[in-house]
């Protein structure tokens, strides 16, 4: 298979313009003849549903939650980037582009990232017009703050609830289309399979989570916006229902999966506190604007933080990265925290935490200012830990947060399967090996509001699509295989619960395919995953039946897919014999322990093609060509 | 005129009428109380006040008719709302603990309201429609409050009125949209004071009457 | 400072909408006080699964207090006894050894029970569909800074927009009214200049929709405000009322 990214010719700033001109159009009157399935109602799926319906397409939208407003995007806290340069610090589209490419450790496409930066400003305009209550200055104009990996303030925010407000904006735009009859909503539905006819995606199979009924839906194209797969680690900052199922089933139907091993471990999360723990909570990166990260100079120092004098504190990020200080990118900050804890300097009961201290900021600006900026985050911290961060420093530790990998897509956001478009975190496109803060929201909305509306039209206008409906045998086959999978899960009736397996899988992934990896560990993990998967198939216990609201069964299906997908992640990690961004292989590091890329051999996207049960997938490489930036060792010193 | 119908049948429209009529009653209670306080100055003053009031003749009739319409609206719409509210939760909670929001007044509005209704009917028969050909109104009042039962009825009713107003007063402002961080505490305070004044002002009359 | 407690749960179990339902009692030992309430339910569900029983169905997703998916009435209080806290953010350290916790689903005619503690809150989405948006097609927005919004107005709009749509206001209201929910959206959009052009129509349609869904009416009892995990003020209800009067009595909207 030849991977053709279809990046338009021409100078970087003109590519998108030229491409939009070259894309064929569907006339306004003809748009209503096309049905589009959108799976997911996060920022990507919500915005896509709204924008496509506004154009006149018939949209059917699906989500797992009881309401589209609850998609995982709702939890994003910190903000969304745009190259508005309202702060007059010299920001520009080019700078946002460059920061994002560099932040991603030069493992993303120039063309895509430049387009993202170009679109960023229109997103802010759109959201403001929808009534998103972004923070404002006294004069009534929009406020900005800074985020990791950038030296300008370009992040727009709505208190600590930016994702919520952006999602509610997209949700309301979509609900307006529901009122207009152009979007039909299907909540509490889980996509279990993709239906491919004549090499094109033409429909999906869903399970009605309330009744267990298997339903088929046909369309002219399928837009997948099902988010990231961070929950493969069991403990992550993702919502409980975040899964890989939809994307993985597409992979099994022929869509290539790109860079699955690229996961982002976020440096500022509330540390794990017990074996019963079900998820981890992020403390927004924006906290690093004012909080200072430190550990005691002496290993094993058990004094309370207030008792440790200034001279015996090591503000290691400020020390090692004087120019970016506490605002280094996430992968760098996370590894640095791990290194401190590995050296025995970790704090707290488990020794797996570092301090994030606001003492100096409170002294400088006063409590009121800090409260206004971060009040809700501080409150959340206190609720979870029972400690008051205004008085004692927060304790934080890295946690799985985001997955840069995803289904491979070309410049049109179409996967290797014709008619299957993938948006948001579910695709691999713009963040390379590490995503910068506040750019996932930007990407999700760029994909949904401003890219898919044009590229899907180009697909429709250039592709003859005969009508198909649910009676096509491909639907019958897909329903049958989905039902069989469910029956198999219910029939095992073993002794271990689904969560028990999931927790063990998470442990394996965190230990061997987490913040820092080595070949030996990865090999070992592969064997462990296989063994665990085999045990799962024989020993899992899923109570209840299919025909009811059965949350254990839902989880079982997702974990079954994680157990297969985890192996693909490890395979990918083993194939990439370099360190870059979030993928850190201990064999490849600079003398001061930074990730060491190997541009000669690995300057490519790794896209995996499924070959069948128990057969190694085939690796396709899409070379990354850099014409406008020079590949350099990332430096935040 | 469909829009007007729609307005007055919408939840908020009906509440608008409740608030308007409720405030009307509050004004009425204010003047009624001012008049009744004359009881403390003895029979002559009170009888003179009653006479002067009746001298208004037609105007008084109009006023009384207005009150009747208000009462009909307040009672009927109140019961309508109450019925809907009751239906909105077909299965109740096993454990029902109120958060810090509810007050005795707000929790009992329909019940205190019905109590007031019963009382008002009784009260009108007892005093308003009483045969005043041979006795003065002051004597009627004085006689009435010789019976401990009547005193009790009267005092319970006044407690109900006080309770009803303790919530109704500020609630009417909120319903009409008058909630401003600067003024709301004032309105709430005023409501409490007014309910206490009404409760004690009216409620103490029967006791006073047994003393004189 | 590890602490653990024993508690007894009395949980509403109902197999499906048609089932009558009943309370079941479950004693739970050694619950760490660092656990969240939902993690405590997870522990119980694991035990139920092991013993061949059906685990308790309860909705949840983000477990960070923002998606609005979780919620149950604990000892008579929606989302439990802590102020400004969702059930997923409620921690067991707020309970004591030996406590008996009665756990019930949201009770409202508009929220039929689906299973155990899970209810159907689709009615809230219906209210939004009726008008909880600003009609702006993608691509037609003006430059973001071309309309200044006073910081105070933006802040107030944000206070209202913080609503997570969990339905605790309905569950808490003795009348089962959804006024705080509807008011939060109307108020959020009415406070911003962008939302003004449609303000009248929005207020009328959303209220009309709300009235038709089986909710009760607002009696200003303020339990909603007291139990709202995002502490949304009833001042927004007053604003909805004003918007509604203005729309019905002084606008061209019918
Ligand atoms: C705690 C946290 C904070 C974050 N903060 C920021 C931030 O400040 N700035 C930033 O830029 N990014 C942030 N991110 C990242 C960002 O929020 C996500 O990457 C982004 O929201 C993903 O959006 P999405 O639309 O792709 O997917 P999601 O929002 O995850 O939506 C997925 C949708 O797909 C549906 N779905 C999934 N699987 C199926 C299935 N099988 N069948 C049917 N439907 C399905 C779900 O129901 C849901 O509607 C944060 C992430 C986390 C976890
Ligand atoms: C002394 C006479 C009365 C006064 C001063 C009075 C005053 C008020 C006021 C000010 C309100 C608040 C309106 C609002 O919330 O907007 C109210 C509410 C109410 N009143 Fe009365 N009222 C009186 C008699 C009655 C009677 C006779 C009934 C009989 C049923 C009644 C039933 C109610 C009910 C049910 C409510 C609550 C309506 C709701 O908020 O849903 N009231 N009253
Ligand atoms: S689970 Fe999301 S708010 Fe509780």
């Amino acid at each position: 298979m030849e991977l053709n990214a279809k990046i338009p010719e021409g100078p970087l700033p003109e590519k998108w313009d030229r491409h939009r001109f070259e894309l064929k159009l569907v006339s306004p009157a003809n748009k209503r003849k096309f049905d589009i399935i959108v799976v997911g109602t996060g920022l990507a799926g919500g915005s896509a549903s709204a924008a496509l319906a506004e154009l006149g397409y018939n949209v059917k939208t699906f989500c797992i939650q009881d309401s589209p407003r609850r998609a995982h995007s709702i939890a994003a806290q910190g903000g969304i980037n745009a190259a508005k340069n309202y702060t007059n610090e010299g920001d520009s589209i080019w700078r946002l582009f460059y920061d994002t490419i560099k932040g991603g450790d030069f493992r993303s496409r120039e063309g895509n990232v430049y387009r993202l930066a170009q679109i960023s400003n229109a997103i802010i305009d759109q959201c403001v017009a929808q009534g998103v209550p972004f923070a404002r200055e006294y004069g009534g104009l929009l406020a900005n703050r800074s985020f990791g990996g950038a030296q300008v303030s370009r992040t727009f925010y709505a208190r600590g609830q930016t994702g919520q407000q952006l999602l509610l904006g997209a949700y309301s735009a979509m609900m307006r289309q529901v009122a207009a009859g152009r979007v039909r909503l299907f909540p509490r539905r889980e996509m279990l399979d993709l239906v491919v006819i004549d090499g094109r995606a033409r429909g999906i199979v869903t399970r009605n989570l309330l009744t267990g009924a298997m339903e088929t839906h046909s369309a002219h194209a399928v837009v997948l916006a099902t988010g990231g797969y961070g929950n493969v680690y069991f403990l992550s900052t993702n919502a409980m229902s975040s899964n890989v199922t939809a994307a993985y089933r597409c992979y099994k139907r022929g869509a290539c999966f790109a860079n699955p091993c690229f996961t982002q471990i976020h440096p500022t999360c509330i540390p794990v506190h017990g074996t019963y723990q079900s998820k981890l909570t992020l403390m927004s990166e924006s906290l690093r604007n004012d909080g200072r990260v430190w550990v005691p100079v002496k290993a094993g120092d058990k004094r309370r933080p207030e008792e440790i004098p200034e001279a015996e504190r090591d503000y290691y990020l400020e020390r090692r990265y004087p120019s970016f200080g506490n605002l280094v990118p996430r992968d760098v900050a996370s590894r640095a925290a791990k290194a401190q804890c590995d050296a025995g300097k970790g704090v707290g009961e488990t020794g797996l935490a570092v301090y994030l201290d606001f003492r100096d900021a409170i002294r400088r600006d006063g409590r009121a200012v800090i409260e206004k900026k971060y009040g809700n985050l501080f409150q959340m911290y206190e609720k979870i830990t029972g400690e008051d961060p205004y008085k004692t420093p927060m304790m934080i530790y890295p946690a799985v947060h985001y997955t840069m990998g995803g289904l491979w897509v070309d410049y049109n956001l179409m996967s290797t399967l014709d008619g299957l478009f993938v948006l948001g975190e579910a695709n691999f496109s713009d963040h390379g090996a590490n995503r910068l803060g506040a750019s996932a929201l930007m990407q999700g909305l760029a994909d949904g509001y401003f890219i898919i509306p044009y590229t899907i039209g180009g697909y429709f206008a250039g592709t003859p699509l005969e009508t198909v409906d649910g009676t096509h045998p491909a639907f019958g086959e897909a329903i049958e295989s989905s039902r069989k999978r469910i029956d198999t899960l219910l029939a095992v009736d073993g002794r271990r619960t689904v969560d028990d397996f999931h927790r063990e899988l998470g442990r394996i992934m965190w230990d061997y395919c987490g913040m820092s990896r080595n070949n030996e560990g990865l090999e070992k993990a592969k064997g462990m995953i296989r063994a665990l998967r085999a045990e799962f198939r024989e020993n899992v216990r899923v109570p209840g039946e299919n025909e009811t609201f059965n949350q254990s069964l839902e989880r079982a299906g997702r974990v079954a897919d994680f157990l297969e997908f985890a192996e693909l992640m490890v395979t990918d990690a083993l194939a990439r014999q370099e360190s870059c961004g979030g993928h850190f292989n201990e064999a490849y590091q600079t003398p001061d322990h930074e990730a060491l890329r190997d541009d000669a051999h690995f300057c490519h996207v790794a896209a995996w093609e499924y070959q069948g049960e128990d057969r190694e997938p085939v690796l396709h490489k899409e070379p990354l060509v850099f014409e406008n930036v020079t590949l350099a060792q990332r430096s935040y010193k | 005129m469909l829009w007007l119908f729609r307005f007055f049948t919408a939840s908020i429209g009906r509440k608008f009428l409740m608030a308007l009529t409720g405030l009307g009653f509050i004004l009425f209670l204010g003047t009624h109380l001012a008049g009744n306080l004359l009881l403390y100055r003895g029979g002559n003053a009170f009888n003179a006040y009653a006479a002067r009031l009746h001298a208004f003749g037609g105007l008084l009739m109009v006023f009384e008719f207005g009150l009747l319409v208000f009462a009909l609206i307040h009672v009927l719409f109140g019961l309508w709302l109450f019925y809907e509210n009751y239906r909105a939760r077909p299965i109740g909670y096993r454990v029902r603990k109120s958060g810090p929001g509810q007050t005795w007044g707000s929790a009992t509005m329909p019940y205190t309201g019905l109590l007031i209704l019963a009382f008002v009917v009784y009260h009108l028969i007892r005093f308003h429609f009483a045969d005043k050909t041979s006795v003065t109104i002051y004597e009627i009042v004085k006689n009435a409050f010789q019976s401990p039962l009547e005193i009790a009825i009267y005092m319970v009713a006044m407690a109900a009125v006080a309770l009803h107003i303790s919530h109704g007063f500020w609630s009417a402002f909120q319903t009409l949209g008058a909630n401003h961080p600067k003024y709301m505490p004032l309105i709430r305070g005023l409501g409490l004071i007014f309910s206490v004044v009404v409760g004690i002002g009216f409620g103490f009359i029967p006791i006073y009457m047994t003393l004189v | 400072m590890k602490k653990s407690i024993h508690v007894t749960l009395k949980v509403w179990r109902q197999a499906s909408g048609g089932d009558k339902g009943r309370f079941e009692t479950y004693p739970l030992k050694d619950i760490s006080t660092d656990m969240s309430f939902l993690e405590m339910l997870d522990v119980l569900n694991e035990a139920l699964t092991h013993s061949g029983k059906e685990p308790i169905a309860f909705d949840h997703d983000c477990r960070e207090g923002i998606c609005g998916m979780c919620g149950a009435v604990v000892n008579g209080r929606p989302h439990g006894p802590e102020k400004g806290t969702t059930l997923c953010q409620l921690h067991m350290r707020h309970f004591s050894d030996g406590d008996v916790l009665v756990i019930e689903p949201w009770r409202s005619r508009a929220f039929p029970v689906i299973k155990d503690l899970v209810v159907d809150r689709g009615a809230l989405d219906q209210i939004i569909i009726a008008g909880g948006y600003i009609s702006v097609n993608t691509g037609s927005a003006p430059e973001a800074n071309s309309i200044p919004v006073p910081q105070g107005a933006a802040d107030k709009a944000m206070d209202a927009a913080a609503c997570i749509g969990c339905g605790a206001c309905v569950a808490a209201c003795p009348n089962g009214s959804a006024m705080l929910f509807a008011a939060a959206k109307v108020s959020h959009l009415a406070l911003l200049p962008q939302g003004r052009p449609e303000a009248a129509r929005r207020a009328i349609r959303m209220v009309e929709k709300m009235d038709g869904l089986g909710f009760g009416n607002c009696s200003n009892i303020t339990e909603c405000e007291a139990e709202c995990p995002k502490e949304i003020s009833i001042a927004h209800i007053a604003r909805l009322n004003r918007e509604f009067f203005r729309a019905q009595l002084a606008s061209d909207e019918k």
Side-chain angles (χ1 to χ4, degrees), chain A residues 315-335:
Chain A
Y315 295 90
Y316 59 89
L317 286 178
E318 294 169 26
R319 173 171 58 76
R320 286 178 57 186
Y321 309 101
S323 67
F324 279 70
N326 291 295
L327 282 174
V328 291
R330 291 173 177 177
D331 54 334
V332 177
S334 290
R335 272 197 297 278

Side-chain angles (χ1 to χ4, degrees), chain A residues 70 74 239-240 279, chain C residues 38 59-71 79 86-89 164 166 229-230:
Chain A
R70 308 199 202 283
I74 199 97
M240 302 301 284
K279 78 156 283 182
Chain C
L38 298 188
D59 263 333
H60 62 102
D61 201 20
C62 71
R63 297 204 174 187
E64 308 198 343
I66 192 75
C67 74
M69 189 107 178
C70 65
H79 289 302
T86 55
L87 197 60
C88 58
Q89 292 287 82
I164 58 174
C166 63
K230 299 295 143 185

Side-chain angles (χ1 to χ4, degrees), chain A residues 268-287:
Chain A
T268 52
C269 301
I270 300 178
V272 177
H273 53 74
T275 49
Y276 46 80
Q277 186 140 2
S278 57
K279 78 156 283 182
L280 294 170
T281 304
L282 175 80
M283 288 282 103
S284 168
E285 174 161 304
S286 59
L287 291 171

Side-chain angles (χ1 to χ4, degrees), chain B residues 11-211:
Chain B
S11 58
I12 299 179
R14 282 180 276 155
K15 283 284 302 184
F16 176 77
L17 288 178
M18 289 303 284
L20 225 57
T21 50
L23 284 179
F25 293 149
I26 284 171
L27 279 179
F28 165 73
L29 279 182
T31 48
H32 191 25
L33 179 62
N36 283 11
L37 290 182
L38 290 172
L39 282 169
Y40 293 111
R41 297 204 18 213
N44 289 341
F46 188 65
N47 285 336
Y49 157 69
R52 227 172 308 131
L53 208 57
H54 285 278
F56 279 111
L59 203 61
L60 188 68
M61 291 279 278
V62 171
F63 199 74
E64 283 176 344
F65 181 73
L67 267 181
L68 182 67
V69 173
F70 266 42
L72 279 176
I73 293 177
H74 195 85
V75 170
L76 291 179
F77 277 74
L79 290 178
W80 184 5
L81 290 167
F82 175 48
Y83 173 67
E84 278 189 359
N85 297 343
Y86 171 77
R87 285 217 320 153
R89 179 160 295 135
I91 303 175
Y93 293 109
R94 162 77 61 97
V95 179
R96 173 80 201 117
K97 200 183 290 161
S98 149
Q102 196 164 340
T103 60
W104 286 354
S106 65
T108 54
M109 285 307 268
Y111 313 111
T112 49
L114 284 172
L115 216 74
I116 297 169
L117 179 64
F119 169 77
V120 167
V121 173
Y122 165 80
H123 179 70
L124 289 179
I125 296 172
R126 192 73 183 80
F127 296 125
H128 192 79
F129 298 117
D131 179 6
K132 292 172 205 136
T133 42
S134 53
V135 282
T136 63
I137 181 71
Y138 183 78
E139 281 162 335
I140 298 177
V141 174
K142 181 121 178 67
N143 285 338
F145 293 137
Q146 299 310 317
S147 142
L149 180 69
E150 292 218 36
I151 295 177
I153 291 177
Y154 203 89
M155 289 186 61
V156 168
M158 286 313 110
V161 170
L163 210 54
H164 199 80
I165 296 176
S166 71
H167 175 69
F169 190 94
W170 83 266
S171 175
F173 283 88
Q174 160 81 5
T175 299
L176 295 177
N179 182 339
H180 189 283
K182 283 186 183 155
Y183 302 108
M184 205 51 183
L186 209 71
I187 294 173
R188 282 199 179 225
L190 220 63
L192 281 183
I193 293 172
F194 187 76
S195 64
V196 171
V197 168
V198 165
I200 294 181
F202 280 117
F204 196 67
I205 289 174
I207 299 190
Y208 177 77
M209 297 305 275
T210 59
L211 298 180

